[in-house]
């Protein structure tokens, strides 16, 4: 069943171009598994993450606490294919979905903030009022992002899929 | 309007954050293996650089300059940037848990990107107004994103060609980065008339 499931997942992988990421299973519940993404820094060096920041101490703002907040749930069917705690797996989403998510989360709010600042500056030519305009634009952009993300989630594009178990030497790069 | 255009061109192309100022090189080499990831990283960094630069400008103008605390600039900016990144993550998590979950897996954390601090320090040294500082930060981060995507495209092509064993992997990537930097030096010939 395990092999069948992996073959089925790989067929999904080849049908649409996917971005892959490695995650570690941290908790298993009936029907679900909780995963923690492995990639930690902008240099993409997951292997050296233990040395940059307090990986073990889960204080506010530490790498450990931020990774903990990024845990996500994955379907974990019962049987021989069941994921186990400590296992590393490769999860994927469509390329286009990742770009859409980045545009929604960062692009729209930033564009709206810049528009708000620009309008306030041209109308009042005052720095404090421009800052208020930026804040108002940012809030509006985040509202748009919320609706867009909801639509993305409804279509199921925002949910990572299990692709395969990671090889021992496989890294997040 | 011409002033805004000059700020944009100067910050994005002539004084490019990566290829002219050599900031953010870690992500430049680490996250440019795929165009999609590089573009996503570009969006995230653009947002963080612009928002944290606005906050840094406000702190510099209304706190550090006003009370003669300029010597605390670097420490204060680091604190402001870390807070801005944390605030961004918390806001996205609150606004849309789905987006937060997805971006958390595929886009790396941005706290260690020195380009964020570099741009904030540059705009303060330029003694700009709020809107000019915001445009400068936005244009700088656009230049960063542009170079990230171009380099990711080049590396995707490099992965398909045969290179001598001696140059395979990071060495050829560094050589291509150097050629890209030389190509961008051409923009330094742009002069305002």
């Amino acid at each position: 069943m395990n092999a069948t499931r992996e073959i089925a997942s790989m067929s999904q992988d080849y049908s649409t171009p996917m971005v892959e990421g490695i995650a570690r299973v941290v908790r298993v519940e009936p029907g679900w598994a909780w995963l923690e993404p492995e990639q930690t820094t902008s240099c993409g060096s997951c292997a050296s993450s233990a040395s940059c920041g307090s990986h073990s101490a889960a204080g506010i703002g530490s790498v450990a606490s931020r990774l903990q907040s990024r845990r996500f749930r994955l379907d974990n069917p019962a049987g021989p294919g069941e994921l186990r705690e400590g296992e590393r797996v490769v999860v994927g989403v469509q390329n286009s979905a990742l770009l859409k998510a980045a545009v929604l989360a960062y692009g729209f709010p930033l564009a709206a903030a810049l528009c708000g600042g620009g309008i306030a500056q041209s109308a009042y030519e005052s720095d404090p009022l421009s800052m208020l305009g930026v804040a108002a634009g940012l809030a509006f952009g985040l509202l748009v992002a919320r609706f867009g993300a909801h639509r993305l989630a409804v279509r199921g594009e925002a949910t990572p899929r299990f692709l395969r178990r990671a090889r021992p030497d496989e890294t997040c790069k | 309007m011409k002033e805004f255009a000059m700020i944009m061109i100067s910050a994005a192309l002539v004084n490019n954050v990566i290829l002219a100022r050599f900031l953010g090189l870690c992500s430049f080499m680490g996250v440019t293996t795929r165009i999609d990831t590089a573009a996503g990283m570009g969006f995230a960094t653009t947002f963080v650089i612009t928002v944290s630069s606005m906050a840094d400008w406000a702190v510099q103008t209304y706190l550090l300059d006003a009370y003669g605390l300029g010597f605390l600039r670097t420490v204060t900016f680091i604190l402001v940037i870390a807070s801005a990144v944390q605030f961004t993550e918390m806001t996205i998590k609150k606004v849309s848990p789905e987006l937060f979950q997805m971006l958390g897996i595929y886009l790396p954390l941005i706290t260690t990107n020195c380009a964020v601090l570099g741009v904030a320090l540059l705009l303060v040294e330029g003694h700009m107004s709020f809107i000019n500082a915001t445009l400068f930060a936005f244009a700088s981060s656009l230049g960063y994103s542009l170079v990230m995507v171009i380099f990711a495209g080049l590396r995707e092509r490099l992965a398909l060609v045969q290179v001598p064993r001696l140059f395979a992997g990071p060495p050829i990537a560094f050589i291509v980065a150097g050629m890209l930097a030389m190509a961008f030096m051409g923009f330094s010939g742009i002069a305002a008339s």
Side-chain angles (χ1 to χ4, degrees):
Chain A
M1 187 176 168
N2 185 12
T4 315
R5 187 173 168 218
E6 292 201 3
I7 289 167
S9 303
M10 285 174 78
S11 67
Q12 278 178 337
D13 187 16
Y14 289 120
S15 60
T16 49
M18 290 195 128
V19 186
E20 295 181 358
I22 296 181
R24 188 179 294 276
V25 181
V26 288
R27 204 167 77 222
V28 177
E29 289 176 7
W32 297 100
W34 287 90
L35 277 74
E36 196 173 274
E38 203 164 78
Q39 197 169 32
T40 58
T41 64
S42 56
C43 53
S45 57
C46 51
S48 62
S49 64
S51 61
C52 59
S54 49
H55 198 75
S56 54
I60 295 172
S62 67
V63 173
S65 73
R66 299 179 81 187
L67 282 179
Q68 205 168 359
S69 73
R70 290 176 174 219
R71 284 183 184 176
F72 61 98
R73 229 165 53 159
L74 199 71
D75 183 26
N76 185 26
E82 189 179 353
L83 299 172
R84 291 174 191 83
E85 277 183 29
E87 260 187 326
R88 295 168 76 236
V89 296
V90 179
V91 290
V93 291
Q94 289 177 18
N95 286 355
S96 58
L98 179 66
L99 268 183
K100 279 180 200 168
V103 170
L104 274 175
Y106 302 115
F108 271 124
L110 185 60
L114 290 175
C115 287
I119 291 168
Q121 176 70 21
S122 59
Y124 303 107
E125 294 195 356
S126 154
D127 285 340
L129 288 176
S130 297
M131 278 188 263
L132 276 180
V134 165
L138 194 62
F140 174 74
L142 286 170
L143 207 65
V144 173
R146 187 188 177 95
F147 286 117
H150 181 68
R151 287 184 62 186
L152 208 65
V154 166
R155 287 201 298 263
E157 289 181 49
T159 312
R161 299 176 198 163
F162 171 84
L163 296 181
R164 62 179 184 277
R165 286 179 166 79
R167 294 185 305 274
D169 60 333
E170 200 165 357
T171 64
C172 57
K173 282 186 181 179
Chain B
M1 189 56 76
K2 187 183 170 188
E3 184 191 2
F4 290 159
M6 287 313 295
I7 290 175
M8 293 286 283
I9 292 170
S10 164
L13 301 175
V14 180
N15 297 307
N16 187 275
V17 175
I18 296 177
L19 298 177
R21 298 194 189 276
F22 306 112
L23 296 170
L25 293 178
C26 180
S27 51
F28 176 61
M29 293 306 292
V31 197
T32 48
T33 45
R34 294 183 64 126
I35 290 182
D36 305 286
T37 321
M41 182 71 184
F43 275 111
T45 312
T46 301
F47 184 86
V48 169
I49 288 181
T50 312
V51 169
S52 59
S53 294
M54 286 190 272
D56 283 331
W57 184 92
V59 167
Q60 174 72 29
T61 308
Y62 297 115
L63 184 71
L64 301 182
D65 283 350
Y67 295 99
L69 299 171
F71 61 93
L72 290 176
R73 183 192 292 167
T74 308
V75 179
T76 313
F77 279 13
I78 290 171
L79 186 69
V80 169
I81 289 166
S83 307
V85 171
Q86 197 74 24
F87 173 77
T88 303
E89 288 205 343
M90 286 164 66
T91 309
I92 291 174
K93 189 177 184 181
K94 197 76 181 169
V95 167
S96 170
E98 299 92 356
L99 281 186
F100 179 80
Q101 171 190 308
M102 188 171 159
L103 294 170
I105 304 168
Y106 301 101
L107 294 184
L109 310 179
I110 317 165
T111 43
T112 50
N113 194 334
C114 59
V116 185
L117 178 63
V119 170
L121 290 172
L122 284 169
L123 69 88
V124 165
E125 281 171 12
H127 302 287
M128 302 173 188
S129 67
F130 176 73
I131 207 72
N132 283 0
T134 305
L135 264 185
F136 176 83
F138 178 64
S140 296
S141 48
L142 269 190
Y144 171 92
S145 306
L146 176 73
V147 170
M148 291 280 283
V149 172
I150 291 175
F151 193 54
L154 290 171
R155 286 184 81 174
E156 280 193 0
R157 281 180 168 263
L158 273 179
L160 299 174
V161 297
Q162 280 191 331
V163 292
R165 252 183 66 194
L166 189 65
F167 292 105
I172 191 72
F174 277 112
I175 291 169
V176 171
M179 293 166 81
L180 195 58
M182 283 195 281
F184 263 68
M185 278 173 69
F187 289 118
S188 60
I190 297 176
S193 57

